[in-house]
Amino acid sequence: MSRLKTIAIRLASTSALAATAFTMVTAAPAHAASLGDSIASTARAENGNGACAHGGYVGGPEQHSSCSGGRTAHAWCADFAGWVWARNGVKNLDDLTDAALSFYEYGDKHGTLSNTPHVGDAVVFNYGGSYADDHVALVTGFDGTTVTFTGGNQGGGAGIVSTNNTRNWRVGQIPWGSQRISGYISPTGSNAPSYPNPASLAGGTLVKSPSGPAVKVMIEGAGIPVAASDVGPDQYDLSKIVTIDDSAFRSLASAPPAGTVVHDQAGGNERYVVVDGAALKIGAADWTAAGYNTRRDMGVPTAWLNEAKQRSVASGLVVMDQTGKDPSRYVMVDGAALHISAEEWTSAGYNLHTLVGVPGEWLKAATTKTPGNGIVVMNQDEKDPSRYVMVNGAALHIAAEEWTAHGYDRLMLMGVPGSWLASSVSKQVPDGTIIKDASGADASVFVMAGGKAVSLTYADFTGLGYDKRPLEGVPTAWLTTAKTKAAPADHTMLLSQDSNTVWEVLAGKKRAMKADEFGAGKRSFNDVVSVPVAFTASLPTAPVQAPPAP
């Protein structure tokens, strides 16, 4: 297995942004989309209709209505296909008749007959020169594996318009019954209007599709959504919207290219650089030192920028300080920048990843973070085959028997630098963390104190206020070890409800601390762990007052 595959890529869509939705600008749709997509849309909209829908389907000038006197006039698959093409401005429709074979001959005449399906094509079955022996439908979807056909006069009896999928789409194959595919025929062109290539439009141009109301603004080749709330503050002129092809509109990247410098179109002095769709703030110290001041500075919609500022850079991206002041390299994992040691740069394959420069101030903040609780990690170079789960900055070992039994195999697995992982494995779960067995086999709740899991009764859980803290699941085997630890680590400070005495643990015993041991430059009451009375009572009292921890 490639080392690169041990990095799981998690996109911004998994962030809090998923709950945010744009109220899009509304603009009047035009009458035509890209030819293939428009043909498919028109055809699908007729699903379930019979021969007399719209008073009968009539396509080209040589085709007759599918309906006469409120009844089906004749076999009408060709009338339906011709009607759909006509509704989308297809040329040379006078070559079509009521016979399905006329579509095959259309393709032969105009050089558009092929063995490959395209959305909007006609597909002819059982071509043999006989009016009665063939059928025609339209290609309304193709993903390279499965073709979707929509046709009229299908389903037996008087027939209806229906849509079906098949993987047997090659010429000569029979997807249904006796219907053998003879060929695909593309329309020769359209009388619909042509649209400009969005790549040719200047930055800041507003664009829309002819088939929908959404509006985007062109920024470095990307189409950034414009929310209704942006129009006034950002001073967008909706009278200057440029209509572009529907497929081109939908294909526009939703974020500017990495390295683009942006600011809020509505104003403000803050500048950001786009990295992996996220907007990273550029600090004052980085603006000139990192060369951001030499790049084109683009205004972007306020609503989009507010979302982009909250996005996380994707896991697996390798980053560095753009200023070069910090020569280290880091890999992003769940929003945290993890240091890559020199020996791991090549051995773990990080040298093969894309290296992206980021603002130094932003990077410094990211290095203080750790992957979130519940993230499962492994050594990127695979020298350590173990798996670990993150809990408040500590990496807890997952026993082999727990990997599948407790569902860790279903969580996202991320490769991390081995040196970083080793330091995280050696960390204790922070004092005051509330934990329980992740397997659910034991409903007991514990508070961490100096590496020991101290059991809490329900009265303790609520009485000490721990019910207001997050409850973290931990591996069973790890919890068993933490529960059986004889005593908290030296210098752990404990407090019980039976007195105001703060106890310091030393060599498995407790000593009463004095008030003058706390204060600026000394111990902090914030580090004291509240534990049940029974637990402090179980620790013997040190016979001699020991000096405070340095």
Side-chain angles (χ1 to χ4, degrees):
M1 179 175 67
S2 168
R3 289 191 180 101
L4 296 181
K5 292 182 179 178
T6 63
I7 290 286
I9 303 299
R10 185 163 65 178
L11 302 181
S13 60
T14 61
S15 71
L17 299 179
T20 304
F22 278 113
T23 301
M24 296 304 300
V25 174
T26 299
H31 69 278
S34 64
L35 184 56
D37 287 342
S38 183
I39 289 171
S41 177
T42 302
R44 285 176 176 270
E46 299 299 303
N47 274 320
N49 285 343
C52 292
H54 310 286
Y57 293 108
V58 180
E62 300 302 317
Q63 291 185 308
H64 302 88
S65 176
S66 60
C67 182
S68 177
R71 296 175 178 271
T72 300
H74 50 252
W76 53 279
C77 61
D79 297 324
F80 172 75
W83 178 86
V84 173
W85 273 14
R87 297 273 289 183
N88 289 279
V90 173
K91 297 178 180 179
N92 301 309
L93 293 183
D94 53 354
D95 292 324
L96 301 178
T97 70
D98 296 330
L101 61 85
S102 66
F103 282 82
Y104 192 96
E105 294 167 352
Y106 173 105
D108 193 34
K109 176 180 179 179
H110 296 288
T112 64
L113 178 65
S114 77
N115 295 333
T116 304
H118 308 86
V119 174
D121 283 2
V123 54
V124 171
F125 300 85
N126 296 337
Y127 174 73
S130 169
Y131 182 97
D133 291 343
D134 46 19
H135 178 63
V136 63
L138 296 170
V139 177
T140 54
F142 181 47
D143 62 7
T145 301
T146 301
V147 168
T148 303
F149 295 135
T150 301
N153 194 28
Q154 298 184 157
I160 60 170
V161 178
S162 64
T163 296
N164 302 280
N165 300 320
T166 181
R167 292 190 175 189
N168 297 324
W169 53 266
R170 291 174 177 79
V171 170
Q173 289 186 313
I174 302 175
W176 306 284
S178 61
Q179 298 289 342
R180 185 184 301 276
I181 296 175
S182 301
Y184 295 95
I185 301 92
S186 298
T188 55
S190 172
N191 295 316
S194 61
Y195 301 112
N197 184 341
S200 67
L201 301 176
T205 301
L206 297 176
V207 297
K208 69 174 296 296
S209 159
S211 61
V215 174
K216 299 178 181 179
V217 60
M218 297 299 300
I219 303 292
E220 300 290 6
I224 311 303
V226 176
S229 60
D230 294 324
V231 176
D234 293 357
Q235 298 183 11
Y236 290 122
D237 186 350
L238 299 185
S239 68
K240 296 182 179 180
I241 295 175
V242 175
T243 300
I244 63 174
D245 181 81
D246 182 70
S247 60
F249 181 83
R250 290 186 283 108
S251 299
L252 289 172
S254 59
T260 303
V261 174
V262 299
H263 65 271
D264 188 340
Q265 177 69 13
N269 296 321
E270 293 182 339
R271 296 296 183 267
Y272 303 84
V273 61
V274 176
V275 174
D276 191 44
L280 313 184
K281 185 177 179 180
I282 302 172
D286 293 306
W287 179 247
T288 302
Y292 292 122
N293 62 317
T294 65
R295 302 183 188 182
R296 187 160 58 169
D297 183 9
M298 305 295 293
V300 293
T302 304
W304 180 88
L305 181 59
N306 287 339
E307 287 190 323
K309 288 190 294 185
Q310 300 175 53
R311 293 184 184 131
S312 295
V313 175
S315 294
L317 193 68
V318 177
V319 299
M320 62 174 285
D321 183 344
Q322 179 69 18
T323 68
K325 294 177 181 178
D326 177 0
S328 298
R329 303 293 186 261
Y330 303 84
V331 61
M332 297 302 302
V333 176
D334 194 42
L338 312 184
H339 181 262
I340 303 170
S341 65
E343 57 271 20
E344 293 175 296
W345 178 247
T346 302
S347 67
Y350 289 117
N351 61 315
L352 303 176
H353 290 221
T354 300
L355 179 61
V356 179
V358 295
E361 288 187 26
W362 179 89
L363 179 58
K364 186 178 295 184
T367 61
T368 65
K369 300 177 181 178
T370 58
N373 292 347
I375 299 294
V376 178
V377 298
M378 64 173 288
N379 189 334
Q380 173 71 4
D381 64 17
E382 301 185 61
K383 293 178 181 178
D384 175 4
S386 299
R387 304 293 188 261
Y388 303 85
V389 61
M390 297 302 301
V391 175
N392 287 357
L396 312 186
H397 181 262
I398 302 170
E401 61 271 18
E402 297 177 289
W403 178 248
T404 302
H406 297 171
Y408 288 113
D409 59 322
R410 296 192 295 272
L411 301 179
M412 186 178 295
L413 176 62
M414 295 188 177
V416 296
S419 56
W420 178 89
L421 179 58
S423 66
S424 298
V425 170
S426 66
K427 289 181 180 178
Q428 291 185 161
V429 175
D431 289 349
T433 301
I434 308 302
I435 62 172
K436 65 174 293 185
D437 187 340
S439 73
D442 182 357
S444 301
V445 177
F446 304 83
V447 61
M448 293 303 300
K452 178 174 175 58
V454 179
S455 181
L456 299 171
T457 66
Y458 181 76
D460 295 324
F461 181 58
T462 56
L464 299 176
Y466 289 134
D467 56 326
K468 298 178 178 62
R469 296 189 185 182
L471 181 59
E472 310 294 348
V474 297
T476 305
W478 181 90
L479 178 57
T480 299
T481 300
K483 287 192 298 184
T484 56
K485 185 174 181 178
D490 283 358
H491 307 304
T492 303
M493 296 184 292
L494 308 173
L495 175 67
S496 298
Q497 290 179 307
D498 59 334
S499 75
N500 293 325
T501 301
V502 175
W503 301 95
E504 180 182 29
V505 177
L506 293 168
K509 298 180 180 181
K510 64 178 185 287
R511 76 166 185 94
M513 299 183 71
K514 298 179 180 179
D516 61 6
E517 294 181 50
F518 295 89
K522 301 178 182 179
R523 308 297 291 277
S524 171
F525 284 110
N526 292 331
D527 297 327
V528 176
V529 183
S530 295
V531 295
V533 174
F535 180 72
T536 50
S538 69
L539 298 175
T541 303
V544 179
Q545 290 289 319

